[in-house]
Amino acid sequence: MYSINKNDMKKVFGSFLIMLVLLCGCKKKEQPDEPVADSKAVITITVTNVTSNEIQFTTECSDPNVTYYVYGMSKAKYLTESTYSSDSIYGFEKSWFEFISQSSGEQWYKLMLEKCVKGKQSYDFSEFTYLLDPESDYVIYAYGIDEVGERITYVHTCEVTTAEMVPSTNEISVNITQTYVNGVDATFTTTNDDTYFVSLQRKTYVEYFQGEGHTLGEMAIDIMSADMSENGEIALLRGDQTITTDDYRCQRKDTDYYLIYFSYDEQYGRRSEVHLVPFHTAAE
């Protein structure tokens, strides 16, 4: 079993920016329903590199004294979270910082300001979202805030689509040889040493995810993010392998499940379609 090492980043919600000039393929989106911005500062977002599983970009504010917050997430998540408040994504993030301040004992805006920046900054998208999927839409957004955390600019967004998948030539087949109340014995046969990811998920989870309008690729990223260890490692398999309940377990007996697998590596991300193999855990 092999692992991918990622930076041990923690997700935070926040706020940012100033009037944005979006370059290098970003789509600029004004949000006229928001209050008029108090600041005239301009923040430029420049996308410097896009691959199938990474986005790199810079931000730079025309006013070096303006504090701003930068974040990125999938477009689907951005659109969902922006609807939770009348003040768009800023309202959602403000509520989040107010929530975590209850346990930290710190004032919410101080927590938010700790995540803010000034001047010119460089970013890997993985600082905000661990894993990206090929040919998928993501949003970089930003707005400026004052010393008590109140938004002083419009929210400006930069939409970026990751590059096409780089397909693996590894042909993977699987044979489930035995089912148990808590999993399966399954043998994988491969044609080369390209790594791949395996998971066991309830059928109801897969159907719910698809019913929400998400792709199987988005579901795969969701599963991998949940399975990632505290030190940022993802368990991957290489070559012919047999999995058992020692490593992969189901939580419910007498239940429909899917064995899910797809090619994946650190350099290119997901490299094949997501395969679903149905099975039913034993009743006793």
Side-chain angles (χ1 to χ4, degrees), residues 8 13 41 47 53 91 134 158 169 182-183 197 200:
D8 187 15
F13 295 80
V47 176
N53 71 331
C158 173
T169 58
N182 64 340
F197 179 82
L200 307 179

Side-chain angles (χ1 to χ4, degrees), residues 118-162:
K118 292 183 178 181
K120 185 173 183 178
Q121 304 291 328
S122 298
Y123 297 96
D124 289 335
F125 207 92
S126 57
E127 296 178 42
F128 312 110
T129 300
Y130 279 114
L131 306 171
L132 304 184
D133 205 41
E135 302 173 63
S136 297
D137 296 327
Y138 294 87
V139 175
I140 304 163
Y141 61 96
Y143 50 86
I145 63 173
D146 62 19
E147 66 276 5
V148 291
E150 294 303 313
R151 183 172 60 81
I152 59 173
T153 73
Y154 289 117
V155 177
H156 296 266
T157 63
C158 173
E159 297 183 14
V160 187
T161 301
T162 46

Side-chain angles (χ1 to χ4, degrees), residues 35-101:
V36 174
D38 294 332
S39 174
K40 301 299 183 182
V42 175
I43 295 180
T44 302
I45 296 179
T46 304
V47 176
T48 57
N49 185 49
V50 180
T51 69
S52 57
N53 71 331
E54 184 58 280
I55 299 168
Q56 295 172 322
F57 64 97
T58 64
T59 62
E60 185 171 12
C61 184
S62 60
D63 184 342
N65 297 314
V66 169
T67 298
Y68 63 96
Y69 187 88
V70 179
Y71 204 79
M73 60 179 66
S74 71
K75 183 177 179 179
K77 183 177 180 182
Y78 177 83
L79 293 175
T80 298
E81 295 186 351
S82 294
T83 64
Y84 291 151
S85 168
S86 59
D87 202 0
S88 188
I89 193 69
Y90 165 75
F92 175 80
E93 292 172 330
K94 179 179 177 180
S95 296
W96 169 252
F97 281 105
E98 289 174 337
F99 173 74
I100 61 175
S101 70

Side-chain angles (χ1 to χ4, degrees), residues 20 34 36 47 51 91 125 140-141 157 168 176 216 229 236 284:
L20 262 195
E34 296 177 354
V36 174
V47 176
T51 69
F125 207 92
I140 304 163
Y141 61 96
T157 63
S168 168
I176 297 176
L216 288 178
S229 66
L236 298 174
E284 300 292 342

